[in-house]
Amino acid sequence: MSRIFTVFCAAALILPGVAGCSTTKVTAQDSSIELTDLSELPAPEAVGLYRLGPIQNLQIDVVGAEEISGTYFVDDRGVVEFPYVGEVDVTGRTPSQLASVLASGLRGDYIVDPQVRVRPEEVTQPLISVGGQVAKPGAVPAAISETLLRAVNNAGGLAEFADSGDVLVQREVQGRRYIGVYNLEAIQRGNYPDPAVYPNDIITVGESSRRRTLETILQYVPLLSSTAILIDRVGR
């Protein structure tokens, strides 16, 4: 199934002295992307719930049926094989949802009223990906990165050539991938609310070509003259 990409411009209204969405960047030209008038990114479903995935061990206990209780491995397809039930796809399910599926498979022919508990042996910490022009690109813990500003700060803050008006947040909700375009400086100044971010979001801070060009000029100034006066309009 092809994914639909939806782009909206957050903090887009122009306030006095505050730039909205970057006017030097081209956005949403791909034919698979459509612009929307949403004012904010939709929140993902079941925020904060742990979801099962491939390549992990699950402790599955069935009350009164110790012979089938134990540790079961989820293979690279995201499938676990359980006695009397067969292969079950666990990907995207919570432990309680998988327990319900297994209980339904056992009910009747094998156990009258099965009580099933599922517990992952290792729980992966939810993360948010932060890249582009930040000091420390990589994954940051979602538990301490509840908003866009917090996530960027946890990635070391903006790098030298960052464009604060070209910050993207990508999020998938119900098979649709949304892309929000934010002005981080406007958010820092309190002109717009600091948007919430969630596990599996992808944050990308764009690069300011004007800042990099100015840096290149400054490198050659000593070769040109002993005195130079530059008007820095970067970011204005």
Side-chain angles (χ1 to χ4, degrees):
M1 180 180 68
S2 62
R3 291 175 175 170
I4 299 176
F5 292 76
T6 304
V7 179
F8 74 92
C9 193
L13 297 177
I14 306 299
L15 297 182
V18 179
C21 289
S22 173
T23 58
T24 60
K25 306 294 182 180
V26 178
T27 304
Q29 280 198 329
D30 191 277
S31 59
S32 65
I33 297 178
E34 62 185 60
L35 288 169
T36 177
D37 57 0
L38 291 175
S39 60
E40 61 182 14
L41 286 176
E45 293 183 322
V47 174
L49 295 181
Y50 177 78
R51 301 286 177 171
L52 300 172
I55 316 296
Q56 64 175 310
N57 288 321
L58 302 177
Q59 177 63 38
I60 303 177
D61 296 314
V62 181
V63 178
E66 286 73 15
E67 69 277 7
I68 61 173
S69 298
T71 301
Y72 291 84
F73 178 69
V74 181
D75 65 20
D76 58 357
R77 299 172 298 157
V79 171
V80 64
E81 187 169 351
F82 197 74
Y84 308 119
V85 178
E87 292 189 342
V88 178
D89 187 0
V90 310
T91 303
R93 288 190 164 113
T94 66
S96 60
Q97 287 172 340
L98 177 59
S100 296
V101 171
L102 296 177
S104 296
L106 293 171
R107 183 172 290 111
D109 293 339
Y110 306 103
I111 304 174
V112 175
D113 185 21
Q115 304 294 315
V116 182
R117 289 191 291 266
V118 176
R119 178 176 56 83
E121 287 195 348
E122 294 184 6
V123 177
T124 304
Q125 179 178 225
L127 299 172
I128 294 172
S129 175
V130 185
Q133 291 297 309
V134 291
K136 299 177 181 179
V140 298
I144 58 172
S145 307
E146 302 95 336
T147 67
L148 179 57
L149 280 178
R150 287 179 181 272
V152 171
N153 288 339
N154 286 334
L158 298 178
E160 180 180 3
F161 300 115
D163 183 350
S164 63
D166 183 34
V167 180
L168 308 181
V169 177
Q170 298 185 48
R171 177 180 307 151
E172 186 170 326
V173 181
Q174 296 183 339
R176 295 171 67 97
R177 187 174 295 275
Y178 294 85
I179 306 173
V181 186
Y182 294 88
N183 186 319
L184 204 62
E185 182 178 358
I187 294 171
Q188 289 172 326
R189 292 177 179 274
N191 295 316
Y192 303 102
D194 188 8
V197 292
Y198 300 94
N200 301 318
D201 279 0
I202 301 174
I203 300 171
T204 307
V205 178
E207 178 179 338
S208 171
S209 58
R210 289 175 294 179
R211 288 184 182 276
R212 190 172 289 278
T213 299
L214 177 61
E215 178 68 17
T216 302
I217 293 173
L218 291 175
Q219 290 178 357
Y220 289 99
V221 163
L223 302 177
L224 302 176
S225 170
S226 58
T227 303
I229 299 176
L230 297 177
I231 300 176
D232 180 7
R233 299 188 181 277
V234 172
R236 300 182 187 178

